[in-house]
Amino acid sequence: MILLVISDLHIDTGRKLGTFGWKVKKFIDTLERVIEHYGVEKVVLNGDTFDLYKYSYNEIAETNTKIIEYFTQKGFILIRGNHDVWVKHTLDHYQITNSTGKTIHIEHGHKADFLNGTRLGRFFSITMYSTLKLLVRIRWIERTFYGAVNYFDDVNRIPRKYNTFKYLMYALKLLKKYDMVILGHTHKLESHKIYYLNSKKIYLNSGTCSLGRFQAVVVDTESFEYETIKIPKKLELDVVQLPDFN
Ligand SMILES: [Mn+2]
């Protein structure tokens, strides 16, 4: 089965503090182009699909009916991230075992850190965001906030916002049990092939579809071939070159 995993869309209300940064139609067109190119049979939304630190689900649902309907209609699998732990009908993780008995484990990955993985940590984060929501009424603070978001998410920079080593360690722990682990949360697209415990293990990170970018991992669950996909912001669809399986 061909599986596409995307994460960290951070769909918001389109008002202040929004980080999705996509026009819904263009996002869906991009997604469909990728689905068609690889013959994707199942799509997993690996957490932080919605940005509920800043807005309530109702607020987000009201302004995003089209995209939510699309996800439901297509039967996409919805995994909980730290930003959307409150969304109904989401899974903690998702697993697929192929015909040779190899298992792929997919989860958002926030359980690896205190600030997002615990109730107390989330309470701190949410308090911080509610304060920020009031403060961004002041223009220079809003500008600084977006400056910081863009800085930390810059694809060309070595990750600072998240210590990706921590997530790699978390993935290794899961890889004792599973053959492939796919996390999100760090907004950094990654792929690692590791020879571990006498077998070949793979850790992938699905990156992010926020700030108008499209990042994803596509996996053939039978052959374990995979590819990372990275479409930069504002690139016209007809010039996008999608890599083939390696
Ligand atoms: Mn997250």
Side-chain angles (χ1 to χ4, degrees), residues 179 194-201:
D179 302 282
I194 310 147
Y195 292 92
Y196 183 46
L197 304 171
N198 292 325
S199 56
K200 194 160 82 182
K201 308 274 186 168

Side-chain angles (χ1 to χ4, degrees), residues 8 48 82-83 108 110 162 185:
D8 298 84
D48 287 359
N82 50 300
H83 280 265
H108 182 62
H110 59 281
Y162 291 112
H185 185 58

Side-chain angles (χ1 to χ4, degrees), residues 1 6 8-9 25 28 53 78-79 84-85 129 144 155 165 168 176 185 187 196 205 211 216 222 227-228 230:
M1 184 177 60
I6 58 174
D8 298 84
L9 284 69
K25 190 184 177 301
I28 293 175
Y53 279 11
L78 218 59
I79 294 179
D84 41 27
V85 274
Y129 272 117
T144 312
V155 286
F165 181 69
L168 178 61
K176 283 183 185 168
H185 185 58
H187 292 203
Y196 183 46
N205 194 296
L211 301 174
E222 278 304 307
E227 197 52 67
T228 52
K230 198 184 239 177

Side-chain angles (χ1 to χ4, degrees), residues 6-12 19-20 45-53 60 71 78-87 90-91 107-110 113 116 122 129 161-162 184-187 206-210:
I6 58 174
S7 68
D8 298 84
L9 284 69
H10 290 271
I11 293 172
D12 53 75
T19 41
F20 183 43
L45 299 169
N46 191 16
D48 287 359
T49 306
F50 304 106
D51 205 322
L52 297 185
Y53 279 11
I60 290 175
F71 291 158
L78 218 59
I79 294 179
R80 276 193 287 283
N82 50 300
H83 280 265
D84 41 27
V85 274
W86 305 273
V87 180
T90 52
L91 305 172
E107 71 167 78
H108 182 62
H110 59 281
D113 67 275
N116 299 299
R122 269 199 300 274
Y129 272 117
K161 182 181 177 182
Y162 291 112
H185 185 58
T186 64
H187 292 203
S206 45
T208 180
C209 288
S210 67

